[in-house]
Amino acid sequence: MSGKSGASEISLKQSLRKIEYPSSAKDALNKIVDLICGRITSIKNMDLALDLMAEFVFLEIDRRGHKRGFPLTPLIELQLIELLYEYFNNMSNESARNTVFLSIFSGTTAIMRLGVLTKLVSVAIAIPSATILSSASAWMQQLGNTSQNSCKLAEGLIQDYFYFYNPNTSSINLVPSISPQFTANFLTAVTENYFNFTKRECIFPPKVLMESVTTWVSENPGLCIAAQQKQAVLPPGAIAMEATTPIAGLLRWTVLAPINKQDSQVYGDLHLALLNSIIEIPKVTPPKAIYAQHLTGPINPILSYVNDLRNKQELKLDQILNEDNLQLALDRYAQAIQVIYSVNAVYGHVDDLFHQLKLLPFNKLMSIVISTYKKNKVIIL
């Protein structure tokens, strides 16, 4: 049997090599679907599918299996993106489509193919395809919507739609209504790229992006939890990964904006929109909307800011505590924690979260929030 299957593999590859690109890529895709979505799947079938992707779809290897030392030409890349758009857009079976999408842009090859994926998703926004955006959303969730690959995809889309075009007149603003699940996962990835003090250089979101995000969240209170509301359709036996919502990341932006000289009306508007969104989160047991550890993000940057005020500006303790930007940041932080806790939207080590909040400089509202939590715990016990 193995001899026959080996001969058929060689025959298949030889026949594909006689066809011109991109027709060869389309025929290869058809075979890839059969191999990984058929009733009987095997490691051998998956290996062959991966070979076909590398040689005939992405032209990454030659017929001997050696890596090509040059990227796709602009013309071939354009043909490939057009082919993938048509192919995925016309695949009605969601499970099969997501299976192929995840296989083609899998973790091991995603870095090499990320440029193609970004352009494909960009086209799916420009010429709206809810189908492709749905598969891209499943891809982000399965890889992790805060993973390096998801963040790079988000970065590429921001370059396309918030630097080169006027977002107010482009199709990007239709995305929340076309695919709320994709938009939620996109927002989570975006929050990792800005106000991230764990990276070598902390950068802030461009104003046009801030305005769009604020509009999206204001007009769609359920948008932030959309990816948790509808699970991706995956092949039988696959485990769907839970989406991380963008709530904690966006709150990090609004809380830290004042102490980073980024405070403008738009951050205040986004903060209000987020509070309204949190209030609308449906109660589920156990809660799953916001992980407690993600809410600790602003603590270290706030403490660093206080140290800077003490060491660089040589302010006295009472001057630091009454500093306007610091108190505004703490007020926003306390408001968010109070609303999140009151609607039971937080899960994980909640005790640890409140223990860490005690490390912050005094803020009247935060002290009330912490003491209320303590009282409620005593009552429950």
Side-chain angles (χ1 to χ4, degrees), residues 101-112 139 143 149:
F101 199 98
L102 285 161
S103 298
I104 282 181
F105 299 109
S106 67
T108 51
T109 57
I111 294 169
M112 289 190 294
W139 177 87
L143 265 69
N149 286 326

Side-chain angles (χ1 to χ4, degrees), residues 172-173 176 183 186-187 212-220 223:
I172 190 73
N173 281 326
T183 309
F186 168 73
L187 282 175
S212 287
V213 170
T214 301
T215 300
W216 294 353
V217 177
S218 300
E219 294 178 355
N220 309 275
L223 182 64

Side-chain angles (χ1 to χ4, degrees), residues 34 39 43 84 87 91 114 117 135 138 217 241 264 294 297 299 310 336 339 357 364-365 373:
D34 291 343
R39 288 187 178 182
I43 293 171
L84 291 173
Y87 203 89
M91 274 186 87
L114 203 56
L117 174 62
S135 289
V217 177
M241 303 302 288
S264 64
H294 293 162
I299 294 174
R310 182 184 291 126
V339 175
L357 291 174
K364 189 173 182 180
L365 185 55
Y373 174 75

Side-chain angles (χ1 to χ4, degrees), residues 3-122:
K4 278 186 180 178
S5 65
S8 65
E9 281 182 29
I10 293 167
S11 174
L12 169 64
K13 289 179 179 179
Q14 284 176 341
S15 65
L16 286 171
R17 286 169 190 147
K18 293 173 185 174
I19 306 168
E20 279 193 29
Y21 197 89
S23 298
S24 55
K26 186 173 184 180
D27 289 354
L29 278 171
N30 288 329
K31 186 61 184 175
I32 288 163
V33 173
D34 291 343
L35 288 166
I36 64 178
C37 300
R39 288 187 178 182
I40 301 169
T41 56
S42 65
I43 293 171
K44 194 171 184 62
N45 281 358
M46 181 55 79
D47 286 343
L48 176 55
L50 293 173
D51 283 351
L52 296 179
M53 291 172 202
E55 183 178 346
F56 299 102
V57 179
F58 292 94
L59 308 183
E60 291 162 347
I61 59 173
D62 61 22
R63 63 178 61 210
R64 293 181 183 83
H66 299 145
K67 282 187 179 180
R68 294 175 185 267
F70 46 86
L72 297 175
T73 66
L75 175 60
I76 288 177
E77 186 180 60
L78 185 63
Q79 290 174 322
L80 173 57
I81 291 161
E82 187 179 353
L83 168 66
L84 291 173
Y85 180 93
E86 292 297 326
Y87 203 89
F88 285 121
N89 197 44
N90 292 319
M91 274 186 87
S92 55
N93 185 318
E94 189 175 355
S95 174
R97 186 180 69 246
N98 287 344
T99 303
V100 176
F101 199 98
L102 285 161
S103 298
I104 282 181
F105 299 109
S106 67
T108 51
T109 57
I111 294 169
M112 289 190 294
R113 299 173 186 175
L114 203 56
V116 171
L117 174 62
T118 303
K119 290 182 176 74
L120 174 63
V121 176
S122 190

Side-chain angles (χ1 to χ4, degrees), residues 114 139-141 143-155 189 193:
L114 203 56
W139 177 87
M140 293 182 88
Q141 259 176 256
L143 265 69
N145 56 8
T146 60
S147 67
Q148 188 178 15
N149 286 326
S150 290
C151 291
K152 283 186 176 176
L153 171 62
E155 195 177 317
N193 291 339

